[in-house]
Amino acid sequence: MTEQRFLPVNLSGKRVVVTAGAAGIGRVIAEGFLAAGARVHVCDVAPEAIDEIKTDIPEISTSRTDVSDPAAVNAMFDEVERRLGGLDILVNNAGIAGPTGGVTDVSAEALRETLAIDVESMFHCAKRAVPLMRREGLGHVVNLASVAGRLSYPNRTPYAAAKWGVIGFTKSLAMEVGRDGIRVNAILPGHVNTTRFSGLVERRAAALGMSPEDMERRVLDPVALGAKVEREDIANMALYLCSPFGMAISGQAISVCGGVEMMGWK
Ligand code: NAD
């Protein structure tokens, strides 16, 4: 028997936008919604990633959009309205790791870029998505935060500040739009089994003169399950929240992390 990859929910007829959805966690989220029968549009800033998803999954429509740019986000939503005729689900997935270093080393430019992509982009997208969802009297916004949005993360203060900001945005927006039938939640991934995680492990290991294997063991030590999570685990939480089973859930920050109690990059 082949293993089931995604939660078997039926979202046929739903129209979904996944930001930064051409690669990484976003792409798997997009694949999950497609498997549930939804119509999916992804945007991304990387042309190669867009070409790849276009070739692999032609049913998913795409646009090249930098979500930190409000004008580009507006153009993307104009296109989404034309193509899909409305919107039911927005997954604000875009987020960069930002700079690593002490607060005295972080440049103003790197800080601004992190906040612009990781938090401001969510405002730009919600500004256009909420009126479309109000029209339906129903909608879901899912924001990708991180366990860095509920724990301290020394030497990654811009990322931590951005992700704590995502939680505040999520809870406040949920109160603002709940009476319009719109649910707003955040997912907090832990250490996800991606090239981004292995890259961070390798760089940190090199800086401390350790092997990547020892570094990974150190990082996973303060995790209850002692393991990374998969991109599908994140996608399945998004599917659950946007399915009929998730209708009672709004304003929540839900960790999908195996129980991360400390960020271990010191
Ligand atoms: P990633 O680094 O793999 O990037 C995914 C895509 O984002 C890429 O295709 C990239 O081109 C696109 N992108 C980057 N900047 C963009 C922009 N300005 N506009 C549009 N697209 C842009 O990301 P990921 O690891 O899949 O992470 C996805 C989300 O999950 C992020 O918000 C991230 O902070 C969060 N997260 C990831 C992890 C992890 O371990 N990977 C852990 C916790 C939280």
Side-chain angles (χ1 to χ4, degrees), residues 97-107 110 153-159 204 265:
T100 299
V103 77
T104 51
D105 305 320
V106 169
S107 71
Y153 202 174
N155 298 312
R156 288 282 298 283
T157 50
Y159 185 70
R204 205 71 201 133
W265 293 108

Side-chain angles (χ1 to χ4, degrees), residues 51-52 79 92 99 132 134 167 176 186 195 201 249 258 263:
D51 287 346
E52 211 173 301
E79 193 184 335
N92 273 321
L132 298 176
R134 280 193 172 129
I167 308 296
E176 245 177 68
T195 49
V201 167
I249 305 170
M263 300 300 278

Side-chain angles (χ1 to χ4, degrees), residues 40-57:
V40 183
H41 182 92
V42 303
C43 74
D44 205 287
V45 79
E48 323 77 57
I50 293 176
D51 287 346
E52 211 173 301
I53 195 169
K54 265 183 165 163
T55 308
D56 296 349
I57 321 175

